[in-house]
Amino acid sequence: MPKNAKKPQASPDLSVDIGPLKLKNPVLAASGVFGYGLELQGFCPPEALGAVITKGLSLTPWPGNPGPRIVESGFGLINAIGLENVGLDAFLENSLGPLKRAGAVVGANVLGRSPEDYVELTSRLAQSQVDFIELNVSCPNLRHPGGLSFGSDPKLLASITKDCVKAAGDKPIVTKLPPLVTDIVALAKIAEDNGATAVSLINSLPALSIDLDTRRANLAVGPGGLSGPPIKPLALRQVALCARALSIPVIGLGGIMDYRDALEFIVAGATAVQIGTGILVDPGLPIRLIGDVYHWLGENGLADLGQIRGSLKL
Ligand SMILES: Cc1cc2nc3c(=O)[nH]c(=O)nc-3n(C[C@H](O)[C@H](O)[C@H](O)COP(=O)(O)O)c2cc1C
């Protein structure tokens, strides 16, 4: 072995803690790209991931926007699904039981038209087997109040987080923050001060795709949310700022397409990562990524992710 070579680590530990949650690895399926947890199990068994996060759930089923709802844009994707979902009851009846029997850690992503909707969704989920609740107060493409309009308003962000923490009992609340705000750290601190167990960021960015020939927007409703590789640099910046300022865990996402992207988020200070658009491109990506992170740690002589977390030199 060369003199300066790092001694390989036999079996690195990939487990991470998000407050009271013990996850076997730091790789989570993001909301909106993994159905309700079971749909992609042929490619990616949900129990093999750190956790799966459901498509955003509302109190009653939502039809979503008319199509086209997704368009490629450069190296990214713009979507305006409009939060189409089966509603909380259908998820609880059809998906949660099989997911838990398979041994998956399950996060329910929730979204409402009013602060009261978030609290009611959370109280109902508090009685269920879900492991944590992610508050989507950052969706950029709603045509009614909710999403981004709640998460970027400090007072609403504070009251929704606080009331949901209370309603959740001992279930952790993860507040998913909007990316394009003047002061992301101020918002993240509001979530922390109001009892969130962790914050996740970033959601997709407000964006527009235009067809020059027709002079029309490519999505039926006009604007949508940009995701994938183009948003990674912004996501890394927001995650790095929040991780330095907060005491609670930061879950990073935005444009992760391979294990090196994921590890960059850990270096920026993230405790865990979520994969969104990458799963739409390759549903087997999370499983490969977990293996690649494991091997990278081993080859670099590292026992766990704690040895690189927040190691960013500025
Ligand atoms: C098709 C699609 C649907 C999404 N639906 C949701 C959703 O229901 N709730 C939510 O919080 N985020 C939703 N997102 C946002 C992703 O969870 C993620 O925050 C964003 O896409 C950035 O990560 P990525 O670049 O890895 O995709 C959706 C994203 C896509 C592409």
Side-chain angles (χ1 to χ4, degrees):
M1 199 194 308
K3 215 172 161 201
N4 291 333
K6 293 163 196 141
K7 195 167 168 271
Q9 176 73 34
S11 47
D13 177 9
L14 288 190
S15 67
V16 295
D17 292 347
I18 305 288
L21 283 178
K22 309 268 174 223
L23 307 184
K24 66 173 79 152
N25 63 62
V27 179
L28 283 61
S31 177
V33 299
F34 207 70
Y36 302 95
L38 296 164
E39 290 82 347
L40 295 177
Q41 58 189 336
F43 300 94
C44 181
E47 66 277 15
L49 302 181
V52 292
I53 302 180
T54 66
K55 172 70 190 161
L57 295 166
S58 47
L59 284 168
T60 53
W62 283 3
N65 291 329
R69 309 195 291 183
I70 291 196
V71 61
E72 284 184 34
S73 176
F75 294 104
L77 197 73
I78 303 181
N79 89 83
I81 304 295
L83 274 306
E84 174 177 348
N85 77 97
V86 297
L88 180 63
D89 290 334
F91 166 70
L92 293 175
E93 275 160 34
N94 304 326
S95 307
L96 187 56
L99 279 170
K100 292 310 297 173
R101 282 194 289 283
V105 176
V106 183
N109 180 283
V110 299
L111 182 119
R113 289 194 163 94
S114 67
E116 293 75 25
D117 283 357
Y118 285 85
V119 180
E120 194 177 336
L121 283 156
T122 303
S123 328
R124 298 225 17 231
L125 285 160
Q127 312 303 319
S128 78
Q129 290 187 84
V130 298
D131 297 281
F132 65 98
I133 296 147
E134 183 177 63
L135 305 177
N136 178 3
V137 283
S138 42
C139 179
N141 52 36
L142 291 177
R143 286 182 292 172
H144 53 72
L148 175 63
S149 65
F150 289 170
S152 51
D153 177 324
K155 279 196 184 133
L156 279 175
L157 176 65
S159 65
I160 292 174
T161 303
K162 187 175 174 190
D163 293 346
C164 288
V165 166
K166 199 168 160 210
D170 57 4
K171 305 242 191 239
I173 288 286
V174 176
T175 303
K176 186 167 179 180
L177 297 171
L180 265 197
V181 289
T182 314
D183 188 349
I184 190 71
V185 171
L187 289 182
K189 275 191 164 294
I190 287 173
E192 178 176 52
D193 291 347
N194 285 282
T197 297
V199 292
S200 55
L201 65 159
I202 59 175
N203 210 317
S204 51
L205 293 169
L208 179 64
S209 165
I210 291 176
D211 180 336
L212 177 62
D213 297 326
T214 61
R215 272 59 149 186
R216 300 180 79 91
N218 279 313
L219 297 180
V221 295
L226 177 67
S227 63
I231 75 171
K232 191 185 83 171
L234 173 66
L236 281 171
R237 186 235 189 215
Q238 305 297 61
V239 165
L241 287 175
C242 290
R244 278 177 183 230
L246 300 191
S247 311
I248 56 173
V250 173
I251 304 173
L253 74 158
I256 297 178
M257 305 303 276
D258 64 22
Y259 77 97
R260 296 189 73 86
D261 292 335
L263 288 167
E264 287 173 23
F265 277 85
I266 305 291
V267 167
T271 297
V273 296
Q274 298 179 14
I275 320 290
T277 303
I279 291 182
L280 296 180
V281 176
D282 172 8
L285 171 65
I287 298 296
R288 200 172 61 248
L289 201 150
I290 293 164
D292 289 348
V293 167
Y294 182 85
H295 286 119
W296 186 89
L297 286 177
E299 281 162 11
N300 284 277
L302 299 167
D304 57 44
L305 289 164
Q307 294 187 262
I308 58 161
R309 182 170 298 114
S311 58
L312 175 67
K313 300 178 197 115
L314 283 176

